[in-house]
């Protein structure tokens, strides 16, 4: 176990030496620090699996060291040791994230037993992490994550359609991953070494979209100070992805139809006919059939685009994929933020599983990014999720099901959260997404008392 690193921070030399001797006999690598400043220096300069920190130090206290350790090395386990144990300091230490609180004098076997439990726990976490990552790999297809039958159907269609020349229409709500699917089709095609050019049709006005797609000649309009190639030319021999195709205007629809039929077009303000070899993948979150009935989308263009249709399911129809997606985004944002968060707590995952996900996978990704960014431990908790999710998690559906008056529901709910967090006003106000003054006024209104 010489690869298991333990740091002992204690101002008593006899404690440092005896702990170091015992732990090294048990096979651990051990270093010591005689005060808080030296301890912080070692925490910042090397990785530790466990830190044994004295509560009372000459220049600081163990709780301050604990805070530093949680920020610098959230995956490390911190054990507070003290000869002056009190209930208050024990509670403070555990609330601040200490793994255990051990009083002096020590029994070497007791210390070893605690560390063995930590090692076993760490092994289980590592195994779970490994299995989850293996599972993620198994159900990852060209950066699309999912094991649900509906997303597996999408995988199969992409595999089938990718190597062909067919035009593809992707249909699905915003945030479902339509561009990822388009890129997957391109990667599986013989054009994968040629450009993949994406255009968001809804982001541009009629004139700008026409110029963006087909290019323009110098002087074609005010501001056209030079000739510019359009996206179709840039995508020649590759793939062009036309996102939000349902938002394009009738004039551009007609021009686009010509490209689909003839594989040629003219730059804005130009005379030259330009031929291209481009595969078209279009996507929409709108009901094109309804738009056609309303006369807002050309039927002939629809039939040209709708050669192969792939329907991408919303996240609420494939909830079994949420844990896999959470694991994937956890890994992604751990790397981006240099963190080692290992998992989501049970209540945090439960809230995510029960959410309606109007923003689909994109909304889930942002929630996990938010949580990873602010979380200071190695587990994503309810408190690190965005405020809307915290409120959802703290508001059990049972309250609603009982048909109680709103005031009564609010009173019970606030009391429940206060008890859960030991009447920590600041923390509870944050969870409820209200300020402290509002929380105090509600406590007074409902005559809530700490018992």
């Amino acid at each position: 176990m010489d690869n298991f690193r333990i740091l002992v921070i204690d101002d008593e030399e006899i404690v440092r030496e005896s702990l170091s001797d015992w732990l090294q006999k048990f096979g651990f690598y051990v270093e010591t620090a005689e005060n808080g400043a030296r301890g912080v220096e070692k925490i910042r300069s090397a990785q530790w699996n466990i830190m044994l920190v004295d509560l009372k130090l000459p220049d600081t206290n163990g709780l301050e060291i604990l805070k530093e350790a949680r920020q610098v090395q959230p995956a490390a386990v911190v054990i507070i040791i003290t000869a002056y144990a009190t209930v208050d300091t024990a509670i403070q230490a555990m609330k601040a994230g200490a793994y255990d609180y051990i009083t002096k004098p020590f029994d070497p076997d007791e210390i070893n037993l605690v560390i063995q439990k930590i090692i076993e726990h760490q092994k289980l976490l590592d195994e779970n992490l490994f299995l989850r990552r293996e599972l993620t790999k198994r159900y990852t297809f060209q950066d699309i994550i999912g094991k649900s039958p509906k997303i597996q159907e999408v995988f199969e269609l992409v595999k089938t359609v990718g190597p062909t020349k067919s035009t593809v229409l992707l249909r699905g709500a915003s945030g479902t991953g339509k561009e990822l699917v388009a890129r997957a089709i391109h990667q599986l095609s013989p054009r994968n070494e040629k450009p993949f050019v994406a255009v968001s049709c809804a982001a541009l006005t009629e004139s700008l979209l026409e110029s963006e797609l087909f290019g323009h000649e110098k002087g074609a309009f005010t501001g056209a100070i030079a000739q510019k190639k359009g996206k179709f030319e840039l995508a020649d021999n590759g793939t062009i992805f036309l996102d939000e195709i349902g938002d394009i205007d009738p004039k551009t629809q007609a021009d686009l139809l010509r490209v689909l039929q003839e594989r040629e077009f003219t730059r804005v303000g130009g005379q030259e006919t330009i031929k291209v070899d481009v595969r078209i993948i279009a996507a929409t979150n709108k009901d094109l059939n309804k738009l056609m009935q309303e006369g807002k989308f050309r039927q002939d263009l629809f039939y040209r685009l709708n050669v192969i249709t792939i329907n991408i399911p919303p996240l609420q129809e494939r909830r079994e994929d949420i844990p896999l997606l959470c694991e994937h985004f956890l890994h992604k944002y751990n790397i981006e933020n240099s963190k080692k968060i290992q998992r989501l707590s049970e209540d945090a995952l439960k809230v995510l599983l029960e959410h309606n996900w109007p923003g689909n996978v994109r909304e889930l990704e942002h929630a996990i990014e938010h949580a990873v960014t602010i979380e200071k431990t190695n587990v994503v908790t309810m408190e690190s999720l965005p405020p809307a999710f915290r409120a959802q998690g703290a508001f059990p559906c049972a309250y609603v099901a009982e048909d109680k008056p709103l005031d009564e529901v609010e009173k019970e709910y606030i009391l429940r959260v206060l008890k859960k967090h030991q009447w920590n006003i600041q923390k509870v106000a944050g969870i409820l997404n209200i300020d402290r003054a509002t929380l105090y006024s509600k406590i007074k209104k409902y005559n809530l008392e700490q018992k």
Side-chain angles (χ1 to χ4, degrees), residues 158 161-171 177-189 191 195-201 213 232 235 238-245 256 260 263 278-284 304-310 312:
V158 170
V161 170
T164 71
K165 296 181 178 179
S166 299
T167 299
V168 180
L169 179 61
L170 305 176
R171 307 178 87 160
K178 294 188 288 294
E179 183 166 341
L180 278 180
V181 173
R183 288 183 181 277
I185 292 170
H186 173 71
Q187 284 302 317
L188 293 175
S189 76
R191 301 169 180 262
F196 174 90
V197 178
V199 185
S200 177
C201 299
L213 291 175
F232 272 96
T239 302
I240 189 166
F241 172 56
L242 303 174
D243 197 10
E244 300 180 74
I245 193 77
L256 195 55
L260 281 163
R263 301 289 167 179
V278 175
R279 182 181 197 178
I280 296 176
I281 301 175
T284 183
R304 284 283 183 179
L305 293 172
N306 194 37
V307 178
I308 303 289
T309 295
I310 298 179
I312 305 173

Side-chain angles (χ1 to χ4, degrees), residues 82-131:
T82 183
Y84 307 96
T86 66
V87 173
D88 284 345
T89 55
I91 291 173
Q92 285 180 47
M94 301 309 283
K95 285 172 71 175
Y99 177 85
D100 208 340
Y101 184 90
I102 299 176
T103 55
K104 299 175 184 176
F106 308 117
D107 176 346
D109 290 332
E110 179 190 3
I111 295 286
N112 186 42
L113 186 62
V114 171
I115 291 175
Q116 292 300 331
K117 284 183 179 176
I118 293 170
I119 292 172
E120 289 303 315
H121 181 65
Q122 191 63 50
K123 281 181 180 174
L124 284 174
L125 289 178
D126 289 344
E127 286 173 9
N128 285 339
L129 191 61
F130 173 78
L131 289 172

Side-chain angles (χ1 to χ4, degrees), residues 9 33 35-45 64-65 68:
I9 305 175
N35 55 45
R38 183 69 181 136
V40 168
E41 188 181 318
K42 285 180 177 281
I43 289 170
R44 291 176 178 171
S45 61
E64 291 301 317
I65 300 291
E68 177 74 17

Side-chain angles (χ1 to χ4, degrees), residues 175-392:
T176 49
K178 294 188 288 294
E179 183 166 341
L180 278 180
V181 173
R183 288 183 181 277
I185 292 170
H186 173 71
Q187 284 302 317
L188 293 175
S189 76
R191 301 169 180 262
N192 58 15
E193 293 185 356
K194 299 298 180 182
F196 174 90
V197 178
V199 185
S200 177
C201 299
L204 301 167
T205 61
E206 176 183 336
S207 56
L208 284 177
L209 178 60
E210 205 169 354
S211 170
E212 189 76 4
L213 291 175
F214 309 119
H216 61 249
E217 296 293 344
K218 181 179 178 182
F221 51 82
T222 304
I225 58 175
Q227 185 194 71
K228 177 188 171 184
K229 289 185 176 180
K231 298 294 187 185
F232 272 96
E233 281 185 83
L234 297 175
D236 195 19
N237 295 313
T239 302
I240 189 166
F241 172 56
L242 303 174
D243 197 10
E244 300 180 74
I245 193 77
D247 291 282
I248 63 174
D249 60 274
K251 168 73 169 57
T252 310
Q253 288 181 32
D255 292 338
L256 195 55
L257 181 63
R258 182 187 172 200
V259 179
L260 281 163
Q261 290 174 332
E262 310 297 336
R263 301 289 167 179
E264 63 182 36
F265 59 90
T266 304
R267 292 193 193 110
V268 176
Q271 301 294 323
E272 179 189 2
T273 298
I274 300 170
K275 289 188 174 291
V276 288
D277 175 16
V278 175
R279 182 181 197 178
I280 296 176
I281 301 175
T284 183
N285 58 8
K286 294 191 172 177
D287 185 343
L288 294 185
N289 296 84
K290 185 180 176 187
L291 291 179
M292 283 190 293
Q293 289 172 5
E294 294 171 350
K296 296 177 180 175
F297 201 85
R298 295 177 65 118
Q299 279 193 347
D300 44 8
L301 177 59
F302 173 76
Y303 293 126
R304 284 283 183 179
L305 293 172
N306 194 37
V307 178
I308 303 289
T309 295
I310 298 179
N311 293 306
I312 305 173
L315 189 54
Q316 61 180 259
E317 290 182 10
R318 54 182 189 109
R319 292 183 184 278
E320 58 267 55
D321 292 335
I322 290 175
L324 278 173
L325 288 161
C326 288
E327 172 64 25
H328 172 73
F329 294 132
L330 204 59
H331 181 61
K332 175 180 176 180
Y333 289 106
N334 266 337
I335 292 173
E336 286 192 12
N337 294 281
S338 301
K339 291 198 170 184
K340 293 183 177 179
I341 298 175
Q342 297 188 327
R343 61 185 175 85
L344 280 77
S345 67
E346 288 185 11
D347 54 352
L349 181 59
K350 183 172 182 289
V351 165
L352 297 183
L353 286 167
E354 292 175 350
H355 186 62
N356 283 332
W357 299 112
N360 291 291
V361 179
R362 185 184 298 131
E363 183 186 3
L364 174 60
E365 178 173 1
H366 291 168
I368 298 298
E369 181 183 2
H370 175 101
V372 171
T373 302
I374 68 171
E375 181 59 61
K376 294 179 180 175
T377 71
N378 62 352
V379 177
V380 168
T381 59
M382 282 292 298
E383 285 71 21
S384 59
L385 292 176
F389 292 89
R390 297 203 299 268
Q392 178 185 331

